[in-house]
Protein backbone atom coordinates (compact mmCIF):
# COMPACT_ATOMS: atom_id res chain seq x y z
CA UNK A 1 0.00 0.00 0.00
CA UNK A 2 1.39 3.41 -1.01
CA UNK A 3 2.30 5.93 1.68
CA UNK A 4 0.20 8.62 0.02
CA UNK A 5 -2.89 6.42 0.11
CA UNK A 6 -2.72 6.46 3.92
CA UNK A 7 -1.77 10.13 4.10
CA UNK A 8 -4.67 11.31 1.92
CA UNK A 9 -7.17 9.62 4.22
CA UNK A 10 -5.54 11.09 7.30
CA UNK A 11 -5.55 14.55 5.72
CA UNK A 12 -9.29 14.30 5.05
CA UNK A 13 -9.90 13.78 8.78
CA UNK A 14 -9.10 17.44 9.59
CA UNK A 15 -8.63 19.18 6.21
CA UNK A 16 -9.10 22.71 7.57
CA UNK A 17 -6.47 22.26 10.28
CA UNK A 18 -4.14 20.60 7.78
CA UNK A 19 -4.45 23.49 5.29
CA UNK A 20 -3.93 26.07 8.06
CA UNK A 21 -0.77 24.27 9.15
CA UNK A 22 0.35 24.12 5.52
CA UNK A 23 -0.28 27.83 4.95
CA UNK A 24 1.66 28.90 8.04
CA UNK A 25 4.30 26.17 8.56
CA UNK A 26 4.81 25.18 4.92
CA UNK A 27 4.16 28.53 3.24
CA UNK A 28 4.75 31.72 5.19
CA UNK A 29 7.58 30.07 7.15
CA UNK A 30 9.62 29.75 3.94
CA UNK A 31 8.67 33.12 2.41
CA UNK A 32 9.46 35.51 5.28
CA UNK A 33 13.27 34.99 5.18
CA UNK A 34 13.29 36.42 1.65
CA UNK A 35 12.04 39.81 2.87
CA UNK A 36 15.12 41.15 4.78
CA UNK A 37 17.38 40.78 1.72
CA UNK A 38 14.99 42.84 -0.40
CA UNK A 39 14.91 45.55 2.30
CA UNK A 40 18.69 45.73 2.83
CA UNK A 41 19.74 45.60 -0.84
CA UNK A 42 18.64 49.13 -1.90
CA UNK A 43 19.94 50.60 1.36
CA UNK A 44 23.43 49.14 0.83
CA UNK A 45 23.51 50.21 -2.83
CA UNK A 46 22.51 53.75 -1.92
CA UNK A 47 25.08 53.81 0.87
CA UNK A 48 27.84 52.56 -1.44
CA UNK A 49 27.09 55.11 -4.17
CA UNK A 50 26.27 57.96 -1.82
CA UNK A 51 22.89 58.53 -3.42
CA UNK A 52 19.79 59.48 -1.39
CA UNK A 53 17.31 56.65 -0.79
CA UNK A 54 14.41 58.52 0.75
CA UNK A 55 14.63 56.79 4.12
CA UNK A 56 17.27 56.68 6.84
CA UNK A 57 18.76 54.10 9.19
CA UNK A 58 15.78 54.27 11.53
CA UNK A 59 13.43 53.52 8.67
CA UNK A 60 15.57 50.50 7.78
CA UNK A 61 15.50 49.24 11.37
CA UNK A 62 11.74 49.76 11.54
CA UNK A 63 11.22 47.69 8.39
CA UNK A 64 13.51 44.92 9.60
CA UNK A 65 11.95 44.82 13.07
CA UNK A 66 8.45 44.87 11.58
CA UNK A 67 9.23 41.97 9.26
CA UNK A 68 10.81 40.06 12.18
CA UNK A 69 7.76 40.61 14.40
CA UNK A 70 5.44 39.51 11.60
CA UNK A 71 7.53 36.38 11.17
CA UNK A 72 7.34 35.65 14.92
CA UNK A 73 3.55 35.92 14.83
CA UNK A 74 3.42 33.55 11.87
CA UNK A 75 5.79 31.10 13.57
CA UNK A 76 3.65 31.04 16.73
CA UNK A 77 0.59 30.23 14.65
CA UNK A 78 2.56 27.67 12.63
CA UNK A 79 3.77 25.86 15.75
CA UNK A 80 0.26 25.83 17.23
CA UNK A 81 -1.36 24.50 14.03
CA UNK A 82 1.37 21.97 13.31
CA UNK A 83 1.47 20.66 16.88
CA UNK A 84 -2.31 20.34 16.94
CA UNK A 85 -2.50 18.37 13.68
CA UNK A 86 0.34 16.13 14.91
CA UNK A 87 -1.49 15.34 18.16
CA UNK A 88 -4.84 14.80 16.42
CA UNK A 89 -3.46 12.39 13.83
CA UNK A 90 -1.35 10.51 16.39
CA UNK A 91 -4.41 10.14 18.64
CA UNK A 92 -6.53 8.88 15.74
CA UNK A 93 -3.94 6.28 14.73
CA UNK A 94 -3.50 5.03 18.30
CA UNK A 95 -7.25 4.90 18.84
CA UNK A 96 -7.69 2.84 15.66
CA UNK A 97 -4.88 0.50 16.66
CA UNK A 98 -6.38 -0.03 20.11
CA UNK A 99 -9.85 -0.58 18.67
CA UNK A 100 -8.61 -3.18 16.18
CA UNK A 101 -6.52 -5.02 18.77
CA UNK A 102 -9.44 -5.12 21.20
CA UNK A 103 -11.70 -6.49 18.45
CA UNK A 104 -9.29 -9.32 17.69
CA UNK A 105 -9.52 -12.76 19.22
CA UNK A 106 -8.30 -12.44 22.78
CA UNK A 107 -5.79 -15.29 22.63
CA UNK A 108 -3.76 -13.71 19.81
CA UNK A 109 -4.22 -9.98 20.14
CA UNK A 110 -0.57 -9.02 19.38
CA UNK A 111 1.90 -10.44 16.86
CA UNK A 112 4.86 -9.95 19.20
CA UNK A 113 5.71 -8.84 22.70
CA UNK A 114 3.92 -5.96 24.45
CA UNK A 115 7.21 -4.04 24.48
CA UNK A 116 7.47 -4.30 20.68
CA UNK A 117 3.88 -3.11 20.35
CA UNK A 118 4.59 -0.13 22.63
CA UNK A 119 7.57 0.79 20.44
CA UNK A 120 5.30 0.89 17.39
CA UNK A 121 2.56 2.78 19.22
CA UNK A 122 5.09 5.38 20.35
CA UNK A 123 7.77 5.78 17.68
CA UNK A 124 6.09 4.80 14.42
CA UNK A 125 2.92 6.76 15.13
CA UNK A 126 5.00 9.84 15.98
CA UNK A 127 6.96 9.52 12.71
CA UNK A 128 3.76 9.32 10.66
CA UNK A 129 1.96 12.21 12.38
CA UNK A 130 5.04 14.41 12.15
CA UNK A 131 5.56 13.69 8.46
CA UNK A 132 1.92 14.38 7.59
CA UNK A 133 2.32 17.98 8.73
CA UNK A 134 5.34 18.26 6.38
CA UNK A 135 3.59 17.03 3.23
CA UNK A 136 2.97 20.60 1.98
CA UNK A 137 6.57 21.63 2.66
CA UNK A 138 7.76 20.82 -0.89
CA UNK A 139 5.13 23.24 -2.21
CA UNK A 140 6.44 26.05 0.00
CA UNK A 141 10.01 25.08 -0.83
CA UNK A 142 9.29 25.13 -4.57
CA UNK A 143 7.57 28.52 -4.33
CA UNK A 144 10.38 30.13 -2.35
CA UNK A 145 12.99 28.61 -4.70
CA UNK A 146 11.15 29.93 -7.75
CA UNK A 147 10.82 33.44 -6.27
CA UNK A 148 14.46 33.51 -5.17
CA UNK A 149 15.68 32.26 -8.54
CA UNK A 150 13.57 34.81 -10.38
CA UNK A 151 14.92 37.66 -8.23
CA UNK A 152 18.54 36.53 -8.58
CA UNK A 153 18.29 35.84 -12.31
CA UNK A 154 17.18 39.46 -12.76
CA UNK A 155 20.53 40.46 -11.26
CA UNK A 156 22.86 37.98 -13.01
CA UNK A 157 21.56 34.78 -14.72
CA UNK A 158 24.98 33.14 -15.20
CA UNK A 159 26.11 33.58 -11.59
CA UNK A 160 22.72 32.38 -10.33
CA UNK A 161 22.87 29.12 -12.26
CA UNK A 162 26.49 28.41 -11.29
CA UNK A 163 26.09 28.93 -7.53
CA UNK A 164 23.09 26.61 -7.49
CA UNK A 165 25.11 23.65 -8.77
CA UNK A 166 26.04 22.47 -5.19
CA UNK A 167 22.35 22.52 -4.22
CA UNK A 168 21.41 20.35 -7.18
CA UNK A 169 24.25 17.96 -6.28
CA UNK A 170 22.86 17.57 -2.75
CA UNK A 171 19.41 16.68 -4.05
CA UNK A 172 20.96 14.11 -6.38
CA UNK A 173 22.89 12.46 -3.54
CA UNK A 174 19.80 12.34 -1.30
CA UNK A 175 17.72 10.72 -4.02
CA UNK A 176 20.43 8.12 -4.68
CA UNK A 177 20.62 7.26 -0.96
CA UNK A 178 16.85 6.92 -0.44
CA UNK A 179 16.76 3.10 -0.61
CA UNK A 180 19.60 2.78 1.87
CA UNK A 181 17.88 5.27 4.18
CA UNK A 182 14.75 3.10 4.13
CA UNK A 183 16.73 -0.08 4.88
CA UNK A 184 18.67 1.52 7.75
CA UNK A 185 15.51 2.97 9.30
CA UNK A 186 13.68 -0.38 9.15
CA UNK A 187 16.61 -2.13 10.82
CA UNK A 188 16.87 0.60 13.47
CA UNK A 189 13.16 0.49 14.34
CA UNK A 190 13.23 -3.30 14.56
CA UNK A 191 16.22 -3.25 16.91
CA UNK A 192 14.52 -0.67 19.15
CA UNK A 193 11.42 -2.89 19.33
CA UNK A 194 13.50 -5.93 20.30
CA UNK A 195 15.21 -4.08 23.16
CA UNK A 196 11.91 -2.63 24.41
CA UNK A 197 10.23 -6.03 24.16
CA UNK A 198 12.97 -7.75 26.17
CA UNK A 199 12.80 -5.09 28.89
CA UNK A 200 9.04 -5.54 29.18
CA UNK A 201 9.37 -9.30 29.47
CA UNK A 202 12.21 -9.15 32.00
CA UNK A 203 10.41 -6.64 34.23
CA UNK A 204 7.38 -8.94 34.21
CA UNK A 205 9.43 -12.03 35.04
CA UNK A 206 11.97 -10.84 37.62
CA UNK A 207 11.06 -13.64 40.00
CA UNK A 208 11.56 -16.31 37.32
CA UNK A 209 14.97 -14.87 36.42
CA UNK A 210 16.14 -14.69 40.03
CA UNK A 211 14.94 -18.16 41.01
CA UNK A 212 16.71 -19.61 37.96
CA UNK A 213 19.84 -17.61 38.84
CA UNK A 214 19.84 -16.40 35.24
CA UNK A 215 20.67 -12.74 35.87
CA UNK A 216 24.04 -12.92 34.11
CA UNK A 217 22.57 -14.64 31.06
CA UNK A 218 19.71 -12.17 30.78
CA UNK A 219 22.06 -9.18 31.11
CA UNK A 220 24.39 -10.72 28.51
CA UNK A 221 21.53 -11.21 26.06
CA UNK A 222 20.34 -7.68 26.73
CA UNK A 223 23.84 -6.48 25.91
CA UNK A 224 23.76 -8.39 22.61
CA UNK A 225 20.46 -6.80 21.60
CA UNK A 226 21.65 -3.37 22.71
CA UNK A 227 24.83 -3.72 20.65
CA UNK A 228 22.74 -4.58 17.59
CA UNK A 229 20.58 -1.55 18.32
CA UNK A 230 23.65 0.66 18.72
CA UNK A 231 25.00 -0.41 15.33
CA UNK A 232 21.65 0.03 13.61
CA UNK A 233 21.11 3.46 15.18
CA UNK A 234 24.64 4.50 14.31
CA UNK A 235 24.16 3.54 10.65
CA UNK A 236 20.85 5.38 10.52
CA UNK A 237 22.14 8.55 12.19
CA UNK A 238 25.44 8.56 10.30
CA UNK A 239 23.76 8.51 6.91
CA UNK A 240 21.18 11.10 7.95
CA UNK A 241 23.81 13.44 9.42
CA UNK A 242 26.06 12.98 6.37
CA UNK A 243 23.27 14.13 4.08
CA UNK A 244 22.45 17.07 6.35
CA UNK A 245 26.12 18.00 6.50
CA UNK A 246 26.33 18.03 2.72
CA UNK A 247 23.26 20.24 2.55
CA UNK A 248 24.68 22.69 5.10
CA UNK A 249 28.10 22.88 3.45
CA UNK A 250 26.48 23.49 0.07
CA UNK A 251 25.88 27.08 1.27
CA UNK A 252 29.57 27.53 2.05
CA UNK A 253 30.53 26.11 -1.35
CA UNK A 254 28.02 28.36 -3.06
CA UNK A 255 29.30 31.43 -1.19
CA UNK A 256 32.90 30.60 -2.14
CA UNK A 257 31.95 30.18 -5.79
CA UNK A 258 30.00 33.42 -5.62
CA UNK A 259 33.02 35.34 -4.29
CA UNK A 260 35.23 34.00 -7.07
CA UNK A 261 32.70 34.82 -9.76
CA UNK A 262 31.70 38.35 -8.75
CA UNK A 263 34.98 39.79 -7.44
CA UNK A 264 35.85 41.27 -10.81
CA UNK A 265 32.29 42.39 -11.48
CA UNK A 266 32.14 44.23 -8.15
CA UNK A 267 35.31 46.17 -9.05
CA UNK A 268 33.82 47.15 -12.38
CA UNK A 269 30.54 48.13 -10.74
CA UNK A 270 28.34 45.66 -12.66
CA UNK A 271 27.65 43.75 -9.46
CA UNK A 272 26.80 45.89 -6.42
CA UNK A 273 27.29 45.35 -2.71
CA UNK A 274 23.53 45.11 -2.35
CA UNK A 275 23.43 42.42 -5.03
CA UNK A 276 26.14 40.49 -3.22
CA UNK A 277 24.31 40.77 0.13
CA UNK A 278 21.08 39.61 -1.49
CA UNK A 279 22.84 36.64 -3.11
CA UNK A 280 24.47 35.59 0.16
CA UNK A 281 21.20 36.00 2.05
CA UNK A 282 19.19 33.96 -0.44
CA UNK A 283 21.89 31.37 -0.95
CA UNK A 284 22.09 30.64 2.79
CA UNK A 285 18.32 30.30 3.10
CA UNK A 286 17.94 28.22 -0.06
CA UNK A 287 20.64 25.89 1.24
CA UNK A 288 18.57 25.34 4.39
CA UNK A 289 15.49 24.85 2.22
CA UNK A 290 17.36 22.28 0.15
CA UNK A 291 18.47 20.52 3.33
CA UNK A 292 14.83 20.47 4.50
CA UNK A 293 13.77 18.94 1.20
CA UNK A 294 16.46 16.30 1.57
CA UNK A 295 15.16 15.60 5.07
CA UNK A 296 11.64 15.40 3.62
CA UNK A 297 12.75 12.65 1.22
CA UNK A 298 14.45 10.82 4.09
CA UNK A 299 11.34 11.06 6.27
CA UNK A 300 9.17 9.86 3.38
CA UNK A 301 11.09 6.60 3.27
CA UNK A 302 10.99 6.27 7.04
CA UNK A 303 7.23 6.92 7.08
CA UNK A 304 6.70 4.06 4.64
CA UNK A 305 8.54 1.76 7.04
CA UNK A 306 6.38 2.96 9.94
CA UNK A 307 3.15 2.29 8.04
CA UNK A 308 4.38 -1.23 7.30
CA UNK A 309 5.13 -1.83 10.99
CA UNK A 310 1.70 -0.60 12.07
CA UNK A 311 -0.02 -2.79 9.48
CA UNK A 312 1.89 -5.76 10.89
CA UNK A 313 0.48 -4.84 14.31
CA UNK A 314 -3.02 -5.06 12.80
CA UNK A 315 -2.32 -8.71 11.87
CA UNK A 316 -4.06 -8.86 8.53
CA UNK A 317 -6.47 -6.02 9.19
CA UNK A 318 -7.58 -3.79 6.35
CA UNK A 319 -5.48 -0.69 5.59
CA UNK A 320 -8.68 1.35 5.96
CA UNK A 321 -8.93 0.24 9.61
CA UNK A 322 -5.67 2.03 10.43
CA UNK A 323 -6.81 5.40 9.05
CA UNK A 324 -10.55 5.16 9.76
CA UNK A 325 -12.19 8.39 10.93
CA UNK A 326 -13.78 8.50 14.37
CA UNK A 327 -14.51 10.78 17.28
CA UNK A 328 -11.64 11.82 19.57
CA UNK A 329 -13.92 13.53 22.05
CA UNK A 330 -12.98 12.24 25.56
CA UNK A 331 -16.66 12.45 26.52
CA UNK A 332 -17.59 10.11 23.67
CA UNK A 333 -18.01 6.51 24.84
CA UNK A 334 -19.03 3.72 22.45
CA UNK A 335 -22.26 1.94 23.27
CA UNK A 336 -21.83 -1.11 25.45
CA UNK A 337 -21.31 -4.09 23.19
CA UNK A 338 -23.68 -6.23 25.20
CA UNK A 339 -26.58 -3.88 24.51
CA UNK A 340 -25.61 -2.82 21.00
CA UNK A 341 -28.22 -3.55 18.31
CA UNK A 342 -25.53 -5.15 16.15
CA UNK A 343 -25.44 -7.96 18.68
CA UNK A 344 -28.45 -9.38 16.85
CA UNK A 345 -26.22 -10.10 13.86
CA UNK A 346 -24.15 -12.69 15.72
CA UNK A 347 -26.76 -15.40 15.82
CA UNK A 348 -28.72 -15.80 19.05
CA UNK A 349 -30.92 -12.85 20.14
CA UNK A 350 -29.06 -10.35 22.30
CA UNK A 351 -31.60 -10.54 25.14
CA UNK A 352 -31.99 -14.34 25.20
CA UNK A 353 -31.66 -15.73 28.76
CA UNK A 354 -29.64 -18.94 28.84
CA UNK A 355 -31.74 -22.09 28.99
CA UNK A 356 -29.41 -24.48 27.15
CA UNK A 357 -26.00 -24.43 25.55
CA UNK A 358 -25.13 -27.16 23.04
CA UNK A 359 -21.70 -27.61 21.46
CA UNK A 360 -21.22 -30.15 18.65
CA UNK A 361 -17.97 -31.13 16.93
CA UNK A 362 -15.97 -28.14 18.23
CA UNK A 363 -12.50 -28.29 16.66
CA UNK A 364 -9.42 -26.11 16.73
CA UNK A 365 -5.77 -26.83 15.81
CA UNK A 366 -2.90 -24.47 16.59
CA UNK A 367 -1.14 -23.22 13.44
CA UNK A 368 1.95 -25.23 12.55
CA UNK A 369 1.25 -28.04 15.02
CA UNK A 370 -1.05 -30.93 15.88
CA UNK A 371 -2.12 -29.68 19.32
CA UNK A 372 -5.67 -28.53 19.87
CA UNK A 373 -9.13 -30.05 20.26
CA UNK A 374 -11.09 -32.26 17.87
CA UNK A 375 -14.81 -32.99 17.76
CA UNK A 376 -15.78 -31.81 21.25
CA UNK A 377 -19.46 -32.27 22.18
CA UNK A 378 -20.91 -30.49 25.21
CA UNK A 379 -24.40 -29.89 26.53
CA UNK A 380 -25.47 -27.95 29.60
CA UNK A 381 -28.66 -26.40 30.93
CA UNK A 382 -29.37 -23.41 33.12
CA UNK A 383 -28.22 -24.01 36.71
CA UNK A 384 -25.85 -26.84 35.78
CA UNK A 385 -22.34 -27.13 37.22
CA UNK A 386 -20.03 -28.58 34.55
CA UNK A 387 -16.40 -29.58 35.18
CA UNK A 388 -13.94 -30.30 32.38
CA UNK A 389 -11.10 -32.58 33.50
CA UNK A 390 -8.01 -33.93 31.79
CA UNK A 391 -4.26 -34.21 31.97
CA UNK A 392 -1.93 -31.24 31.54
CA UNK A 393 -1.85 -30.28 27.88
CA UNK A 394 -5.04 -32.19 27.08
CA UNK A 395 -6.69 -29.00 25.77
CA UNK A 396 -8.95 -27.85 28.60
CA UNK A 397 -7.99 -24.17 28.26
CA UNK A 398 -8.09 -24.46 24.46
CA UNK A 399 -11.63 -25.78 24.71
CA UNK A 400 -12.78 -22.81 26.80
CA UNK A 401 -11.04 -20.27 24.57
CA UNK A 402 -12.48 -21.79 21.41
CA UNK A 403 -15.96 -21.91 22.91
CA UNK A 404 -15.75 -18.24 23.89
CA UNK A 405 -14.32 -17.17 20.53
CA UNK A 406 -10.91 -16.24 21.92
CA UNK A 407 -9.51 -18.74 19.39
CA UNK A 408 -11.03 -19.19 15.90
CA UNK A 409 -12.78 -22.55 15.67
CA UNK A 410 -11.90 -24.73 12.69
CA UNK A 411 -15.15 -26.63 12.88
CA UNK A 412 -18.22 -27.39 14.94
CA UNK A 413 -21.37 -25.59 15.99
CA UNK A 414 -22.45 -23.69 19.10
CA UNK A 415 -26.14 -23.23 19.89
CA UNK A 416 -27.61 -20.91 22.54
CA UNK A 417 -31.18 -21.98 23.32
CA UNK A 418 -31.13 -23.89 20.02
CA UNK A 419 -30.06 -20.87 17.93
CA UNK A 420 -26.60 -21.01 16.27
CA UNK A 421 -24.02 -18.54 17.55
CA UNK A 422 -22.25 -17.29 14.44
CA UNK A 423 -19.64 -15.13 16.16
CA UNK A 424 -18.78 -16.39 19.67
CA UNK A 425 -16.18 -13.64 20.23
CA UNK A 426 -18.82 -10.91 20.26
CA UNK A 427 -21.64 -13.00 21.75
CA UNK A 428 -19.98 -14.58 24.79
CA UNK A 429 -19.57 -11.34 26.72
CA UNK A 430 -21.65 -9.90 29.59
CA UNK A 431 -24.53 -10.26 30.14
CA UNK A 432 -24.43 -13.58 28.25
CA UNK A 433 -21.16 -14.85 29.66
CA UNK A 434 -18.17 -13.84 31.81
CA UNK A 435 -14.76 -15.52 31.90
CA UNK A 436 -11.93 -15.69 34.41
CA UNK A 437 -8.72 -17.13 32.91
CA UNK A 438 -6.10 -19.31 34.53
CA UNK A 439 -3.85 -16.29 35.17
CA UNK A 440 -6.09 -13.27 35.87
CA UNK A 441 -4.76 -9.81 35.05
CA UNK A 442 -5.20 -6.78 37.28
CA UNK A 443 -4.25 -3.21 36.44
CA UNK A 444 -2.23 -0.71 38.46
CA UNK A 445 -5.36 0.95 39.77
CA UNK A 446 -7.67 0.76 42.75
CA UNK A 447 -9.25 -2.58 43.65
CA UNK A 448 -12.75 -1.27 42.98
CA UNK A 449 -11.78 -0.03 39.53
CA UNK A 450 -10.23 -3.42 38.78
CA UNK A 451 -13.52 -5.07 39.67
CA UNK A 452 -15.83 -2.63 37.88
CA UNK A 453 -13.63 -1.95 34.81
CA UNK A 454 -15.80 0.97 33.73
CA UNK A 455 -19.17 -0.15 35.12
CA UNK A 456 -21.26 2.36 37.04
CA UNK A 457 -21.07 1.29 40.69
CA UNK A 458 -24.61 2.55 41.29
CA UNK A 459 -25.95 0.26 38.55
CA UNK A 460 -24.52 -3.02 39.93
CA UNK A 461 -24.56 -4.98 43.18
CA UNK A 462 -20.91 -4.62 44.17
CA UNK A 463 -21.29 -5.92 47.78
CA UNK A 464 -22.95 -9.12 46.51
CA UNK A 465 -20.11 -9.68 44.02
CA UNK A 466 -17.48 -9.19 46.74
CA UNK A 467 -19.34 -11.58 49.03
CA UNK A 468 -19.66 -14.22 46.30
CA UNK A 469 -15.90 -13.94 45.71
CA UNK A 470 -15.21 -14.39 49.48
CA UNK A 471 -13.34 -11.09 49.45
CA UNK A 472 -15.00 -9.17 52.32
CA UNK A 473 -12.36 -9.93 54.97
CA UNK A 474 -9.52 -9.05 52.60
CA UNK A 475 -11.10 -5.73 51.66
CA UNK A 476 -11.52 -4.86 55.35
CA UNK A 477 -7.81 -5.53 56.00
CA UNK A 478 -6.53 -3.45 53.08
CA UNK A 479 -5.17 -0.02 54.01
CA UNK A 480 -7.73 1.90 51.93
CA UNK A 481 -10.33 -0.80 51.47
CA UNK A 482 -11.71 -0.95 47.94
CA UNK A 483 -9.81 2.27 47.10
CA UNK A 484 -6.44 0.54 47.68
CA UNK A 485 -4.22 0.65 44.62
CA UNK A 486 -3.08 -2.89 43.86
CA UNK A 487 0.04 -2.06 41.83
CA UNK A 488 1.07 -3.42 38.41
CA UNK A 489 -0.65 -6.77 37.80
CA UNK A 490 -1.89 -6.70 41.40
CA UNK A 491 1.55 -7.16 43.00
CA UNK A 492 0.26 -5.85 46.34
CA UNK A 493 -2.17 -8.75 46.58
CA UNK A 494 -1.57 -12.45 47.13
CA UNK A 495 -2.25 -15.00 44.41
CA UNK A 496 -5.53 -15.98 46.03
CA UNK A 497 -6.62 -12.35 46.41
CA UNK A 498 -5.89 -11.74 42.72
CA UNK A 499 -8.02 -14.74 41.76
CA UNK A 500 -10.89 -13.67 43.99
CA UNK A 501 -10.71 -10.08 42.72
CA UNK A 502 -11.02 -11.43 39.18
CA UNK A 503 -13.94 -13.58 40.33
CA UNK A 504 -15.66 -10.50 41.79
CA UNK A 505 -15.11 -8.77 38.43
CA UNK A 506 -16.98 -11.67 36.81
CA UNK A 507 -19.78 -11.84 39.40
CA UNK A 508 -20.52 -8.10 39.35
CA UNK A 509 -21.57 -8.40 35.70
CA UNK A 510 -24.29 -10.92 36.62
CA UNK A 511 -23.87 -13.07 33.49
CA UNK A 512 -26.00 -16.06 32.53
CA UNK A 513 -22.94 -18.26 31.96
CA UNK A 514 -19.87 -18.31 34.22
CA UNK A 515 -16.72 -19.75 32.66
CA UNK A 516 -13.64 -20.22 34.84
CA UNK A 517 -10.26 -21.81 34.21
CA UNK A 518 -8.72 -23.32 37.35
CA UNK A 519 -10.06 -20.50 39.51
CA UNK A 520 -9.14 -22.21 42.81
CA UNK A 521 -5.44 -22.96 42.18
CA UNK A 522 -4.29 -20.35 44.73
CA UNK A 523 -7.15 -20.74 47.24
CA UNK A 524 -7.20 -22.65 50.50
CA UNK A 525 -9.79 -25.35 51.18
CA UNK A 526 -12.01 -23.19 53.39
CA UNK A 527 -12.22 -20.36 50.84
Amino acid sequence: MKVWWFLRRLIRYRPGLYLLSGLLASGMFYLFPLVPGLIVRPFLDALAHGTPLGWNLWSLLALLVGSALARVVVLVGAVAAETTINIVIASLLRQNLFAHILRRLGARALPGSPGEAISRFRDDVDIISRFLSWTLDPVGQAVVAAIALWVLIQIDPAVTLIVFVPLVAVLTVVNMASKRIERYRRTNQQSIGEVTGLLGEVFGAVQAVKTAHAEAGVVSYFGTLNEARRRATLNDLLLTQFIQSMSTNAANLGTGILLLLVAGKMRSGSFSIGDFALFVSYLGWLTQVTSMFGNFLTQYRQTGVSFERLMTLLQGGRPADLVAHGSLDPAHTPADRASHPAQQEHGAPADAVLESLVVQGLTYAYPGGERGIVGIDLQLTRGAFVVVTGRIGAGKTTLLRTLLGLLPRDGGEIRWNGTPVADPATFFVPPHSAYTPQVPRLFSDSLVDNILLGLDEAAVDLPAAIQAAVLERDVAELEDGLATRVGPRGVKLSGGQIQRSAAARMFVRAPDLLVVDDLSSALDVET
Side-chain angles (χ1 to χ4, degrees):
M1 189 64 66
K2 298 295 185 181
V3 172
W4 287 105
W5 186 91
F6 288 105
L7 293 176
R8 282 196 300 271
R9 280 154 180 77
L10 291 174
I11 288 169
R12 288 204 293 265
Y13 182 64
R14 289 288 188 273
L17 183 59
Y18 170 77
L19 292 175
L20 177 63
S21 172
L23 174 64
L24 297 177
S26 303
M28 303 304 295
F29 169 80
Y30 289 104
L31 290 175
F32 264 105
L34 299 181
V35 176
L38 296 175
I39 296 175
V40 172
R41 181 192 175 200
F43 181 81
L44 291 178
D45 286 344
L47 193 63
H49 295 94
T51 57
L53 183 61
W55 37 281
N56 55 24
L57 179 61
W58 292 108
S59 301
L60 173 67
L61 292 176
L63 289 172
L64 291 176
V65 171
S67 66
L69 290 176
R71 186 185 184 192
V72 168
V73 172
V74 168
L75 287 178
V76 170
V79 170
E82 190 173 54
T83 302
T84 302
I85 190 68
N86 288 346
I87 293 174
V88 167
I89 295 303
S91 299
L92 180 67
L93 289 171
R94 290 181 177 122
Q95 176 175 278
N96 289 341
L97 287 169
F98 267 122
H100 184 83
I101 289 172
L102 292 176
R103 283 197 302 267
R104 283 193 58 79
L105 301 179
R108 291 190 295 181
L110 296 174
S113 69
E116 168 68 14
I118 290 172
S119 173
R120 300 186 187 200
F121 264 82
R122 179 190 61 215
D123 301 331
D124 291 299
V125 168
D126 284 343
I127 288 173
I128 292 170
S129 63
R130 189 166 56 245
F131 179 77
L132 181 130
S133 63
W134 296 349
T135 49
L136 287 179
D137 276 30
V139 177
Q141 293 159 357
V143 170
V144 74
I147 293 174
L149 282 172
W150 182 81
V151 172
L152 297 181
I153 286 175
Q154 303 302 310
I155 299 174
D156 195 315
V159 172
T160 300
L161 295 178
I162 292 174
V163 297
F164 273 86
V165 169
L167 303 183
V168 176
V170 169
L171 287 179
T172 303
V173 171
V174 170
N175 189 55
M176 292 174 59
S178 59
K179 287 292 184 182
R180 180 165 294 186
I181 291 171
E182 181 178 2
R183 185 170 69 252
Y184 283 174
R185 175 46 59 106
R186 180 180 288 108
T187 303
N188 185 30
Q189 291 296 96
Q190 183 178 351
S191 65
I192 291 174
E194 289 176 351
V195 171
T196 306
L198 177 64
L199 284 174
E201 291 176 348
V202 170
F203 290 156
V206 172
Q207 184 178 8
V209 173
K210 292 182 69 65
T211 54
H213 197 51
E215 296 94 328
V218 170
V219 171
S220 175
Y221 182 59
F222 177 72
T224 301
L225 292 184
N226 226 21
E227 175 62 19
R229 176 187 176 182
R230 184 189 68 82
R231 290 178 178 274
T233 303
L234 184 61
N235 288 336
D236 188 14
L237 288 178
L238 185 61
L239 182 58
T240 303
Q241 293 299 323
F242 173 72
I243 292 173
Q244 291 180 355
S245 176
M246 287 188 61
S247 302
T248 303
N249 287 321
N252 299 329
L253 293 174
T255 302
I257 295 173
L258 178 64
L259 286 170
L260 293 174
L261 291 175
V262 304
K265 294 185 176 184
M266 291 181 69
R267 282 197 299 268
S268 65
S270 61
F271 201 92
S272 69
I273 295 176
D275 294 337
F276 179 77
L278 187 64
F279 259 85
V280 172
S281 170
Y282 279 18
L283 187 61
W285 178 235
L286 287 176
T287 300
Q288 294 185 47
V289 170
T290 305
S291 175
M292 293 174 183
F293 182 71
N295 188 39
F296 175 87
L297 295 178
T298 302
Q299 291 296 323
Y300 173 77
R301 294 289 182 180
Q302 296 171 349
T303 300
V305 174
S306 293
F307 273 123
E308 290 178 8
R309 285 166 54 82
L310 293 187
M311 285 305 303
T312 301
L313 197 61
L314 291 184
Q315 299 185 81
R318 299 177 306 157
D321 293 335
L322 180 60
V323 292
H325 298 178
S327 175
L328 296 177
D329 184 356
H332 173 77
T333 54
D336 187 82
R337 292 199 311 169
S339 60
H340 199 282
Q343 200 67 258
Q344 300 282 353
E345 302 174 2
H346 305 306
D351 57 351
V353 176
L354 174 64
E355 297 299 337
S356 68
L357 179 67
V358 177
V359 177
Q360 293 179 325
L362 193 62
T363 300
Y364 172 77
Y366 287 96
E370 299 180 355
R371 294 179 59 250
I373 55 173
V374 179
I376 300 295
D377 295 330
L378 172 68
Q379 182 172 353
L380 59 86
T381 57
R382 186 175 188 85
F385 184 79
V386 179
V387 179
V388 179
T389 64
R391 293 177 298 177
I392 294 176
K396 301 183 295 297
T397 297
T398 301
L399 168 60
L400 297 186
R401 289 182 172 183
T402 307
L403 170 65
L404 298 174
L406 299 177
L407 290 174
R409 55 179 168 167
D410 297 326
E413 186 179 50
I414 303 172
R415 290 180 175 271
W416 181 280
N417 296 346
T419 303
V421 177
D423 187 0
T426 54
F427 184 83
F428 284 104
V429 294
H432 298 141
S433 173
Y435 170 57
T436 299
Q438 200 169 52
V439 183
R441 289 297 182 96
L442 300 185
F443 298 92
S444 183
D445 209 332
S446 66
L447 178 58
V448 65
D449 286 334
N450 269 282
I451 294 174
L452 295 175
L453 283 187
L455 293 180
D456 182 3
E457 185 174 348
V460 297
D461 193 348
L462 180 59
I466 292 175
Q467 182 182 25
V470 198
L471 200 58
E472 310 103 309
R473 182 180 300 176
D474 302 85
V475 170
E477 293 176 353
L478 292 175
E479 53 187 9
D480 295 317
L482 285 172
T484 302
R485 299 185 67 86
V486 299
R489 299 190 179 186
V491 295
K492 292 185 178 180
L493 304 180
S494 68
Q497 288 173 328
I498 291 175
Q499 285 188 327
R500 283 177 285 144
S501 298
R505 175 193 295 168
M506 179 175 60
F507 294 146
V508 80
R509 282 156 172 77
D512 279 348
L513 176 66
L514 297 169
V515 182
V516 299
D517 189 352
D518 201 7
L519 182 60
S520 60
S521 62
L523 304 182
D524 55 42
V525 175
E526 181 182 357
T527 303

